[in-house]
Amino acid sequence: MNLLFWRRSRLRAFADGIQPELRAVATPEPTDELLHRILMSRQAGTRVILPLRVDERGRPWRRVSAAIAMAVVLLLVVLPARRRVRDIGEDATSPSSFLGQMAFAQPADGAPRLPGVRLERASAIRPMRLEYTRRVRDTSGRARELVISLTVEAGNADVDGEGTPTWRIISQDRHVVAGQERLKHETLYVAQADLRLLRRAIHVSPYRRFQRINIGQRFQDDSITGRMTTDGPSIGAGRGIARQLRPELTPYLSDAFAPVFLMAASLSPSWKGSATLVGWAVIPRDVYVPLEMRVVGEDRIRVPAGEFDCWRIAIRLWGRQVDYWARKSDGLGIRVYDESDKATAGTRETVLRSVR
Amino acid sequence: MALPHADDRPPLGHLTDAQLATHTARGQADALAELYHRYARAMLAVAYRLLQSREDAEDVVHDVFVGLPEALRRYEERGSLGPWLRKVTTRVALMRLREGTRYETVPLDEDRAATSARSPDAVVAIEDALRHLSPTLRSVLVLKEIEGFSHAEIARMLDISVGASEVRLHRALRSLRALLLMEDKDS
């Protein structure tokens, strides 16, 4: 008994001794981005039911009623919803991209026909804030607009556990459909030295019948691992992600990276190269989107952000061709134009609205 | 990005918590933003300590603020708003922990850790050791030793008995001490 007391009091002394250090462990600072995300979610109609439990001990009849109610909810709502989560895991695929119309990524067979893009000017990537407007015009001539904002900033120094200096690229697409705001948010970390992908998180809300879908991915060597989860009407268990990244398809980029990716390439009149856009990778056919790119001309382009001398680049992806204009001075994406489905779906044009 | 200085905030800084709660419950975004400025730091801290992941902690705080206007309409507690928000955040973080939807742990920037450290080596060692504790033990340790909840409150939040909470704290402290000793030997 005495021994037990002695041990306990020593443990208590240990707990008291480490109190200052326990409290001094660093915690994140709240950011304006998080507040913005909260306000956007509210505006988009997202609602969360918070667990406001009162102390119900001492009121057994309430506990029994609650247990019965929970069982009914479980049978009527949660279990079917969990089945739906499994369903969505079967076909959760990345939505529309900066470079092209919504489509399923296609598995890449064989080696690409063009050499991989050499990212020899990685140091050209710099902190910046960009805003693009995308205008989608359907076959009847009706147009709708979508705003894409992109921030490039220095990221955590230890995203991969090895102290690699990183860029954090945050992309957000907003548009309104039938009075409801739709939001796609991607945060990507790339290594500053060679621009290899390290980690990304994607949130799309709403996504089909769910309030939100979340994709978390980590890139290491030749693999992507991570998890897909959904929020509301129930929170699902989600689905793990584990896919191989084929080395012959490098370099890899993600949708958030697309507007600044070619800043790291040495573009010229005869330039060409291949790269691979990474999908959500939840299902096997949404892992790779191979891109083939060729400079096909030079144009002076006027967009809301100004007038720029550009390289015109033909990009083949998803079996279609998209025209892309990169600023000659630094390779920044200025305009994307896709009319490959003009007769059936209309045209899509994305232009740079501002750059800071 | 840091939060704007107090001068840049919307002009609701003079309102009391109770007034802000009323405005927020009516759906006023600027009142919600002012509550964020007042309490997000503490809420993020408790969520991060429990989940050990910045993304998950931010998601928890996001969900609490998104649900706050409706929750405040049902808010009947007479205590002050800050502790109540911290408690709600804790519950949401614990729900997330139970669901196992946590992404992999990503430590915070080293420079940030250094600015807050009392004795940097010891803090980093404890941070590492905390990350190695199982979530069930870490929850009790964080809630009792850092957040200052009583065993009775922890038991209610975790849906366990008071005795189980005490046992978990004992095990957590023992594991933490063993991890720190191991680290000492390694170094």
Side-chain angles (χ1 to χ4, degrees), chain A residues 74-129:
Chain A
L74 192 72
L75 284 171
L76 295 179
V77 179
V78 180
L79 292 180
R82 285 179 78 87
R83 278 199 292 277
R84 285 201 296 271
V85 168
R86 279 197 290 278
D87 291 343
I88 202 163
E90 301 303 324
D91 62 359
T93 47
S94 37
S96 60
S97 149
F98 181 81
L99 293 174
Q101 181 69 281
M102 179 188 284
F104 294 128
Q106 296 169 342
D109 297 322
R113 289 179 296 180
L114 297 178
V117 173
R118 291 177 56 196
L119 300 174
E120 52 206 1
R121 298 177 62 244
S123 58
I125 305 288
R126 60 180 190 277
M128 60 178 104
R129 283 173 184 272

Side-chain angles (χ1 to χ4, degrees), chain B residues 76-91:
Chain B
E76 290 168 1
E77 294 194 14
R78 290 184 184 177
S80 56
L81 192 60
W84 178 77
L85 281 172
R86 206 163 52 98
K87 214 179 270 187
V88 174
T89 307
T90 304
R91 286 180 193 143

Side-chain angles (χ1 to χ4, degrees), chain B residues 90-110:
Chain B
T90 304
R91 286 180 193 143
V92 176
L94 290 172
M95 278 168 63
R96 202 171 180 93
L97 205 58
R98 281 191 209 109
E99 285 145 10
T101 56
R102 209 168 57 85
Y103 297 139
E104 287 177 59
T105 295
V106 178
L108 289 176
D109 303 2
E110 279 180 11

Side-chain angles (χ1 to χ4, degrees), chain B residues 19 33 48 65 96 166:
Chain B
Q19 289 169 321
Y48 178 78
F65 275 102
R96 202 171 180 93
E166 287 168 351

